[in-house]
Amino acid sequence: MRFIESGPSIPDELLIARDEGRVVFFCGAGVSMARARLPNFFNLAKKVIQKLGVPVDDPVNKILIEAERIQDRTGIAGLISVDRVFGLLERDFEISDIESAVAEVLKPVFGIDLSAHHILLDLATTADNKVRLVTTNFDRLFEDCNRNLKVWHPPGLPDPLRPNEMDGVIYLHGCTNKDYSDSDGDGFILSSSDFGRAYLSEGWATTFFKNILDGYIVVFIGYSADDPPIQYLLEALNKKASQLSGVYAFQSGVTDAAAARWRHKGVEAITYSDANNSHCALWNTLEAWSVRAKDPEKWHQSIMNLARSRPESLQPYERGQVGHIISTLEGARRFSESDPSPPAEWLCVFDPYRRYAKPGYIGRLGSQRQFVDPFDLYGLDLDITPNKYDPDDYSAKREVPADAWDAFIANRLDHQNLSENNLAAIHGHWAINAAVLPPRMYQIGAWISKVANQSASIWWAANRAGLHPDIQQKIKYQINDSKNDTSLAIRKSWRYLFESWEHKIYDYQQDWYDLVDIINKEGWDNSIVRKFAAIHRAYLSIKQSFWNNPIPPLENKNAEINELLNLEIHYPEIPNDANIPNEWLSPIVCELRKNLEYALQLETELGSIGLSIVNPIIPYEKPNEDNYERTHGLSGTVIFFAHLFERLIEIDSDTAHQEFVAWPTTDDTIFSRLRIWACGKSGLTSPQIVGQIVMGLNDTAFWDIYHQRDFLLVLAKRWHELQPDTHKEIEKRLLKGPTKYDIEEDDNEFEERRAQQTLNRITWLKNNNCDFSFNLEIESNELRQIATNWKPECAMKAAESLVGGSVGYVRTDTEHSLLLYEPLDSILSKTLELNERTDDFLVEKNPFSGLSKQRPTLAFRALSHAARAMNTPNGHGRHF
């Protein structure tokens, strides 16, 4: 998490460990250099040499000069270690004189800036006021910040294995006395021999550090990876660097090379940009972190204030702060209990599949549209930035990085807080019920339920395979609460989602093959019948609304369901290897009829056009005809049922008649079609029943264009069996023609349509040996005066199958080669030129339809180009 936009990203584990008092801060020379302006170890050596009066031509001075040159040439510090310089000084000077010089050099001036030390003390102070700070500096500036601090220095160091002892400032390498005239205690760790004694021969510093690692997380601040304290401290552990865990170091520079110097020592570098070498990004971050440390409640409240804003109004690092909050149980609880609740758009931040969703346009085709990249609105500062997206490259993809943060996946802390109720079981309650969510996820679920009345929540959930049952139950309670202002569209949308999630979508092929295996081994029984019907039952399939991708819709209390969800009815494939024995045919037909009734209910409820375009049951043999639509979807389901029912008629007409009587009589679509088709089965329906069924059809069913093929073929087949009175009733109805579609249909257009449909039917029936009691020539001439464009050829097509999607009686020519050579901005205008009838009245040109099928990317680009220019001709978008 970043506290400031340009600052280092501090791992959540480290932030949480500090809050829990499990972090020890190791402070190096950089801490005293930052604002107090004390020298680093190298400059300390230079000033001590000057104070001791070492001659310019002395080897010690030459080594220091050479060390600076090597560092300037290579960019690597520490190749000549400063502790060796102090080792050489010990040859010519008393140790006491050297240490006195060191103390004098470090003596602070009046009014020295101690703000960096205050920051570190705030960070190192636990909730129970224990200070856990170790420094290898010799100055006593930490004590100047707080005179009540406990102080430790060799040989009297605390035992890290005793938490109560780990309190105060620990001078690991010794410290000056209070008046900065000499060292205090056993002296300083200055020379290579001192380091060797502390970390190798006697090893007390190594032991101390090892014990700290056993119980705490360590953070190095103010060191470089090549500083002598770091070299000795880490290399003296006598273990592989990769074995270290829970050790961090702040390091300037954002390149991998900066972090690599720490990585090979087993330390995780927390890098930051330091363009002007002032380390402002580091210290501003540490200062902000110390504010959180001093008053966690106030800091968390400030982040919750951010969370109440829409995430797209915040910077990535601010969204990252909210993400950090909900990564912990306490933070998730604060988020869940916040009043008012953070908006539902935060779901798009918490879900990597929304952050990295494919960019696209928002708004409907033909309207003012805006290209939007979800990552710009919801991305986090820690996310890998994806490549920019070309709006016109529809084949481009965007992958979600494998390690992208996901708020909905259990993290390390979640695993630590699991109980038996959070785990599945082999038997018992948790074997057949979903295990309880981990506490943090439970809190997130509680928040989701609170914002379930917002459009973004239902939009997000529609793209998920489901939600945990406990969350669903909370949502149901919230949206049904009379105090909760939830729109009807939102409530109904959630109910549709719940219903779709109840249907466990398995692999259809596997389910069917498993059932076939059981049938082959055990034969058919009632349980097989139920399973067979269940496998082939229609179900709701829900996706995000097409118009609102790739981001949630704006909040709108008057939003319609189709603005939130894309509701579809899915029909499982019809098996072509269902060898149903005759003795089990009746119960199978009964169950499949119930499936049709359920499908009718779904289609009617959703206002689907699928009901109006069921393919004819009586097949129409065309050369090279694609039968896909006859074997899939609702049409395939109806035709499969008719096929089995036809078998039932042949083997048991009485049972078939009982089934026939059970069919719903108020439906104008599926069951009207089946009744019309059944009229052609003389073994099932008598001429009297045929007449009753035909005349019992209301105008909608009687004149339905998709019923027409079955209707005309059956009527022609049974015409001569019908009574004269029935003939007259049917003739009267045929001559009367259909009623208006609705009150908005133009009177003249209606009259022409009515005349054309009547002419088509009476002419086709006459051509198929159906005699009328009226004068066909007179009636036809009168109708043709209204339908002036009608031709006898139209009637020849009246009983053709409408498979393939052409409308009415006109064949569609989709030849589109001329469009392939048009510029993108003129494809649609060229389409308008070509969209004209040929000399053949039964052929309509629609080249764009052909283009959309054969070259969908090009067609879609043409639509998008026109949409951006607000110049989309009506009707073209329907091809997608």
Side-chain angles (χ1 to χ4, degrees):
M1 187 199 82
R2 286 185 170 86
F3 282 93
I4 61 173
E5 183 174 5
S6 59
S9 177
I10 303 175
D12 284 352
E13 293 80 358
L14 178 54
L15 292 170
I16 294 167
R18 198 234 70 85
D19 293 344
E20 296 172 347
R22 295 186 293 109
V23 174
V24 175
F25 290 87
F26 271 68
C27 301
V31 174
S32 293
M33 292 169 57
R35 295 177 178 178
R37 305 301 179 190
L38 295 188
N40 61 14
F41 201 28
F42 190 91
N43 289 328
L44 174 65
K46 291 173 66 174
K47 291 185 177 184
V48 167
I49 288 172
Q50 293 173 1
K51 187 169 286 291
L52 292 174
V54 177
V56 175
D57 59 350
D58 189 277
V60 173
N61 265 319
K62 292 180 179 180
I63 289 175
L64 275 180
I65 294 172
E66 189 62 28
E68 282 188 301
R69 290 174 178 171
I70 292 175
Q71 181 172 336
D72 290 340
R73 289 198 308 270
T74 65
I76 301 175
L79 292 179
I80 297 180
S81 183
V82 179
D83 58 296
R84 297 184 181 276
V85 173
F86 281 106
L88 292 174
L89 286 176
E90 288 181 352
R91 298 179 183 181
D92 301 321
F93 296 92
E94 295 291 334
I95 293 177
S96 59
D97 293 336
I98 297 173
E99 292 188 344
S100 294
V102 168
E104 289 180 32
V105 169
L106 294 176
K107 187 173 183 178
V109 298
F110 178 76
I112 194 170
D113 186 350
L114 299 178
S115 59
H117 294 77
H118 279 291
I119 289 171
L120 266 301
L121 281 176
D122 288 337
L123 286 172
T125 302
T126 67
D128 55 356
N129 288 318
K130 294 187 181 300
V131 176
R132 289 179 175 146
L133 187 147
V134 177
T135 181
T136 53
N137 299 339
F138 307 133
D139 62 76
R140 305 184 75 126
L141 297 184
F142 284 112
E143 293 174 69
D144 292 340
C145 296
N146 183 356
R147 296 297 180 182
N148 296 321
L149 281 175
K150 293 182 180 179
V151 175
W152 307 79
H153 52 72
L157 297 180
D159 184 355
L161 301 180
R162 297 179 178 178
N164 289 332
E165 285 192 18
M166 281 293 292
D167 181 18
V169 177
I170 302 165
Y171 294 99
L172 190 60
H173 290 175
C175 60
T176 70
N177 56 19
K178 292 187 177 182
D179 60 5
Y180 285 85
S181 62
D182 203 347
S183 63
D184 200 1
D186 280 0
F188 301 135
I189 304 298
L190 274 173
S191 65
S192 52
S193 61
D194 293 330
F195 278 100
R197 173 170 51 84
Y199 291 96
L200 297 175
S201 60
E202 297 179 11
W204 51 265
T206 302
T207 300
F208 176 75
F209 186 61
K210 281 183 177 180
N211 289 338
I212 286 179
L213 290 180
D214 287 340
Y216 298 91
I217 286 176
V218 169
V219 179
F220 291 114
I221 299 177
Y223 296 98
S224 74
D226 302 310
D227 283 348
I230 297 298
Q231 297 281 4
Y232 284 100
L233 193 64
L234 298 180
E235 293 177 6
L237 290 177
N238 196 26
K239 57 170 71 175
K240 293 180 180 179
S242 60
Q243 291 178 298
L244 286 177
S245 63
V247 182
Y248 299 90
F250 285 96
Q251 171 66 48
S252 64
V254 294
T255 64
D256 188 65
R261 299 178 186 176
W262 289 99
R263 191 182 304 122
H264 86 275
K265 293 179 171 65
V267 177
E268 181 178 341
I270 303 174
T271 59
Y272 58 93
S273 176
D274 188 33
N276 57 7
N277 203 33
S278 65
H279 303 278
C280 288
L282 170 65
W283 287 103
N284 289 341
T285 292
L286 294 178
E287 185 171 13
W289 190 5
S290 72
V291 170
R292 163 180 165 148
K294 286 189 292 186
D295 194 343
E297 180 65 30
K298 183 177 180 180
W299 184 85
H300 279 84
Q301 190 56 49
S302 70
I303 303 304
M304 288 312 307
N305 290 337
L306 283 179
R308 294 188 188 98
S309 304
R310 292 169 60 91
E312 52 265 42
S313 68
L314 303 179
Q315 296 297 314
Y317 83 95
E318 293 174 314
R319 294 194 287 263
Q321 291 175 347
V322 177
H324 164 72
I325 287 286
I326 70 157
S327 294
T328 67
L329 172 57
E330 180 57 31
R333 181 180 291 111
R334 291 172 183 269
F335 194 87
S336 170
E337 296 176 355
S338 177
D339 186 17
S341 294
E345 283 85 358
W346 280 102
L347 288 163
C348 298
V349 176
F350 301 158
D351 185 348
Y353 292 95
R354 292 296 92 213
R355 300 200 304 275
Y356 286 95
K358 185 177 179 179
Y361 289 96
I362 57 174
R364 296 177 181 270
L365 288 174
S367 64
Q368 186 78 29
R369 306 184 78 212
Q370 177 185 2
F371 187 77
V372 173
D373 188 337
F375 189 83
D376 294 338
L377 305 180
Y378 308 122
L380 302 172
D381 55 314
L382 294 182
D383 282 334
I384 298 172
T385 303
N387 294 329
K388 283 297 180 183
Y389 208 87
D390 180 1
D392 293 325
D393 186 0
Y394 300 102
S395 62
K397 296 181 179 180
R398 177 172 285 181
E399 302 293 336
V400 178
D403 58 350
W405 175 76
D406 189 336
F408 308 120
I409 292 180
N411 57 33
R412 180 182 58 82
L413 293 175
D414 292 328
H415 286 288
Q416 290 178 352
N417 296 323
L418 294 179
S419 66
E420 290 184 2
N421 292 345
N422 303 127
L423 303 173
I426 291 178
H427 64 85
H429 180 81
W430 300 121
I432 58 176
N433 291 279
V436 174
L437 287 168
R440 181 186 70 89
M441 293 186 179
Y442 179 87
Q443 293 297 332
I444 294 177
W447 165 71
I448 292 175
S449 70
K450 290 181 178 180
V451 296
N453 62 339
Q454 298 177 24
S455 299
S457 63
I458 190 74
W459 179 90
W460 170 80
N463 204 37
R464 303 292 83 194
L467 291 177
H468 191 278
D470 291 350
I471 300 178
Q472 292 190 44
Q473 191 60 41
K474 285 181 172 293
I475 291 173
K476 291 174 184 177
Y477 176 80
Q478 288 288 339
I479 64 175
N480 292 325
D481 186 356
S482 59
K483 299 178 182 178
N484 198 327
D485 183 20
T486 305
S487 70
L488 178 61
I490 293 284
R491 291 200 302 271
K492 292 185 70 172
S493 294
W494 276 116
R495 288 199 293 271
Y496 281 129
L497 265 182
F498 296 148
E499 182 178 348
S500 71
W501 289 338
E502 287 174 2
H503 180 87
K504 303 292 191 299
I505 302 178
Y506 302 111
D507 182 347
Y508 164 79
Q509 295 290 346
Q510 188 61 51
D511 279 358
W512 173 240
Y513 292 141
D514 288 346
L515 184 61
V516 170
D517 285 342
I518 296 173
I519 293 172
N520 291 337
K521 293 176 182 177
E522 303 176 11
W524 284 78
D525 59 24
N526 287 323
S527 67
I528 296 297
V529 171
R530 291 193 300 272
K531 182 66 174 176
F532 182 93
I535 289 176
H536 299 101
R537 183 174 296 123
Y539 59 87
L540 277 178
S541 175
I542 295 182
K543 300 177 182 177
Q544 287 177 343
S545 173
F546 172 81
W547 300 113
N548 294 311
N549 283 334
I551 62 173
L554 294 176
E555 198 61 36
N556 179 9
K557 292 296 183 183
N558 298 318
E560 299 292 334
I561 291 177
N562 62 5
E563 296 180 63
L564 305 172
L565 302 176
N566 182 14
L567 296 168
E568 296 178 354
I569 301 171
H570 185 81
Y571 293 89
E573 293 182 34
I574 303 300
N576 50 20
D577 55 350
N579 299 316
I580 303 171
N582 288 344
E583 61 270 25
W584 290 101
L585 191 58
S586 175
I588 284 290
V589 168
C590 180
E591 292 298 322
L592 293 186
R593 184 243 305 158
K594 295 176 183 177
N595 281 1
L596 281 178
E597 291 174 349
Y598 179 65
L600 174 62
Q601 182 188 66
L602 286 180
E603 295 277 2
T604 303
E605 184 176 349
L606 300 187
S608 172
I609 63 171
L611 285 175
S612 63
I613 55 174
V614 175
N615 281 253
I617 297 174
I618 301 173
Y620 181 77
E621 301 299 333
K622 280 186 179 179
N624 303 318
E625 181 181 4
D626 182 3
N627 284 322
Y628 180 87
E629 292 188 30
R630 293 185 57 81
T631 57
H632 290 75
L634 178 57
S635 292
T637 302
V638 171
I639 293 171
F640 179 63
F641 174 82
H643 165 71
L644 295 182
F645 184 70
E646 191 169 28
R647 275 185 56 195
L648 184 61
I649 295 172
E650 294 172 358
I651 65 173
D652 190 345
S653 60
D654 290 340
T655 302
H657 187 269
Q658 293 175 11
E659 170 60 31
F660 176 70
V661 171
W663 293 355
T665 58
T666 57
D667 167 41
D668 299 333
T669 56
I670 296 175
F671 287 98
S672 283
R673 175 72 60 80
L674 286 168
R675 286 180 185 282
I676 292 169
W677 167 80
C679 286
K681 306 301 175 183
S682 57
L684 177 72
T685 53
S686 66
Q688 182 181 6
I689 295 297
V690 172
Q692 292 174 357
I693 290 175
V694 171
M695 292 310 300
L697 296 172
N698 63 24
D699 264 7
T700 300
F702 189 93
W703 288 100
D704 189 290
I705 192 69
Y706 283 89
H707 288 347
Q708 184 161 286
R709 172 173 171 76
D710 291 318
F711 179 86
L712 291 178
L713 290 174
V714 166
L715 199 57
K717 180 179 179 180
R718 305 297 297 271
W719 185 261
H720 296 289
E721 302 176 37
L722 302 178
Q723 294 296 317
D725 289 346
T726 303
H727 283 165
K728 290 182 179 180
E729 290 294 326
I730 295 175
E731 290 170 2
K732 181 180 178 181
R733 199 160 182 187
L734 286 170
L735 292 174
K736 181 181 178 182
T739 55
K740 270 191 172 186
Y741 286 141
D742 53 50
I743 60 174
E744 295 182 1
E745 186 178 10
D746 180 79
D747 289 341
N748 293 330
E749 291 180 358
F750 161 66
E751 288 298 332
E752 184 175 2
R753 176 176 65 83
R754 181 186 67 81
Q756 285 184 356
Q757 288 189 254
T758 299
L759 280 167
N760 282 337
R761 291 198 176 189
I762 62 176
T763 304
W764 187 93
L765 287 169
K766 179 60 178 178
N767 291 340
N768 284 270
N769 303 316
C770 295
D771 297 324
F772 299 122
S773 61
F774 58 84
N775 189 309
L776 179 63
E777 184 177 355
I778 294 175
E779 294 292 345
S780 296
N781 287 337
E782 291 181 359
L783 290 168
R784 292 188 69 169
Q785 291 179 15
I786 301 172
T788 56
N789 291 325
W790 182 86
K791 296 180 180 181
E793 294 93 324
C794 295
M796 296 173 60
K797 305 287 184 177
E800 280 197 1
S801 170
L802 298 180
V803 173
S806 57
V807 180
Y809 313 105
V810 181
R811 179 175 66 84
T812 302
D813 179 6
T814 59
E815 165 58 33
H816 60 280
S817 58
L818 292 177
L819 298 180
L820 298 176
Y821 304 100
E822 284 293 316
L824 192 64
D825 58 358
S826 64
I827 286 179
L828 295 191
S829 59
K830 183 67 175 179
T831 300
L832 293 178
E833 295 178 19
L834 299 175
N835 281 355
E836 296 179 357
R837 294 265 177 97
T838 64
D839 291 336
D840 186 348
F841 181 78
L842 300 175
V843 177
E844 182 182 63
K845 282 192 173 184
N846 193 339
F848 194 82
S849 177
L851 182 70
S852 65
K853 291 178 181 178
Q854 299 300 321
R855 296 286 298 277
T857 301
L858 179 59
F860 193 70
R861 289 181 65 190
L863 281 174
S864 299
H865 186 280
R868 290 197 295 275
M870 298 184 68
N871 187 31
T872 306
N874 292 334
H876 291 82
R878 64 186 171 88
H879 297 293
F880 286 89

